Amino acid sequence: MTTPSIPRALSTRVVPALTDLAARVAEAAFPFDTPDAAAGRALQRDLGDQLNDYLLPRAQNPDAPVLVVVGGSTGAGKSTLVNSVVGKPVTAAGVIRPTTHHPVLVHHPADAEHFTSDRVLPSLERVVKPGTDLGRPQVRLVASDAVPRGLALLDSPDIDSVDEANRTLARQLLAAADLWLFVTTATRYADAVPWDLLGTASQRGTTVSLVLDRVPAQANREVRHHLAELLSAADLGSAPIFTVPELALVDGLLPEAAVFPVRSWLFGLGTNSRARERVVSRTLTGALATVPDRAAALSEHVRSQEDTDRDLRAAVDRSWARARETLESSLVDGRVLRGEVLARWQDFVGTGQFFRGLEPTVARIRDRITSAVTGKRDAAAPLEKAIGDSIALLVRENVHEALGDARDRWEELPAGRALLQGASAAIDLSADFETDLDRTVREWSTWVNDLVRQEGQGKRAKARILSFGVNAVGAVLMLAAFSGTGGLTGAEAGIAGGTAAVSGKLLDTIFGDQVTRDLTETARAELHTRIIDLVERTREPFDRLLAERPVPTRRSGAIAAAASRLEENL
């Protein structure tokens, strides 16, 4: 894989795989503050830039001009070097830092088609006039006959700029380079930031050359020797080193003799097709070789987001599943028939003496209740209200329990804790909850009365319902729907058991055994449907927080699969 034909041979195989991988990388999302989220976002950005700014354009067009990105630290003299190599001012140079706010790309006029389109650096807007400010990232194009065809020079912002946007852009541009011309000075060549980037260039196989600027004559030998040692330690021992002595500028440019070695070497890449292909081949194949592993690492970061999304959703699901299960059991174990409900039942049937004097015959039960409620169509209202209040209390208790349990589960997860802390509103019941709960219970009570009215169309049943009153029979049916005693103890359990027996026998006399069983089951099921729907809506604050941070499904696997396809074609 060292022949000049490598880029063309690779392009037909890898372009589809690169295109697919670039799309998969762009689809990744990191909405949750997991421990590896920052690393994942940075890797997504860097890998996406490398794919879109360099690998795809170069693989699609291996014969395009070599792009030399001139990079380095603040004040190293990058812009002055570019101007001096070209032979005239094409990019701003000066003492105010940062000097280069927007990158400047210098190319031969005949190569304009390669750079005016968004084939290279598609995220940057193209401008041709100095000082144009679009308010967004841009690159200024300068056509110059002084640059040979097949070569373009890009003056980039400082890699250690005080402006974070400049630093980010500088790194993006370096990732787009066929060749990185690193400019440093005799006093700053060992700075940490440049060497971090040089290490990255080495890992990616980017072709690198260095210009040691403003070197005092007496220090030239020593500094150059030390720099060569550092490059060798960083596996960049073959990188060419050019030195520019400390000289006064002439009309803002370095003397011709000072930049001649750099210019000759660079322009030779434009005029010598084999030299140009060697640079392109080395950088392209080196960069391609690093992509599968980097994509695999990104896949793991994305998987962490998917796992976090699943865990957060599962925590909420478990909390509300527990609330549903508790409510379901509450509707059949007698917990509705507590306290106020039992007191209102005793009032309803004619004081507590009712149970002590009750005789075990259907006729006597019917007569006693009939005498208590005949002509008193509102006698059931307090009992209905007590039942409704008891149902509402159970719902309220379980909803608050679900909210607290979900909050506790999220607090145990770093991403969940961050979501709760960053929520714009308290994770609690909505202001409409009590109104909705009251309406739900009242509508169910009305529905039960309508059910009694509908089932009592037969002559015999109708007469008995009329004698008791629809609301009274409806209240008794509600009691029968909650006839268990599993949730009660002591005296309450005994009274509730008696209540269940009495209410059941009364309904049997009106509707018959089977219809009574069907009615109680239907009433309980209808209430269950209505309150569960209400309870499910109370999880909305948690669901909203997750909806605001969507994690596309199965993107981790898609990235890994795309990386494998690319690796197979390398």
Side-chain angles (χ1 to χ4, degrees), residues 324-368:
R324 290 194 305 272
E325 291 171 3
T326 303
L327 275 172
E328 288 170 2
S329 62
S330 298
L331 297 181
V332 295
D333 66 6
R335 268 178 279 186
V336 174
L337 309 180
R338 58 186 174 182
E340 186 69 14
V341 174
L342 295 180
R344 297 289 74 77
W345 165 250
Q346 294 183 56
D347 290 343
F348 177 67
V349 297
T351 78
Q353 297 298 319
F354 171 81
F355 288 103
R356 289 193 292 273
L358 186 63
E359 295 186 21
T361 66
V362 172
R364 294 296 299 243
I365 293 170
R366 183 189 63 217
D367 292 343
R368 294 293 298 275

Side-chain angles (χ1 to χ4, degrees), residues 186 215-224:
V215 182
Q218 68 274 17
N220 183 31
R221 182 185 182 90
E222 181 181 354
V223 171
R224 186 184 177 99

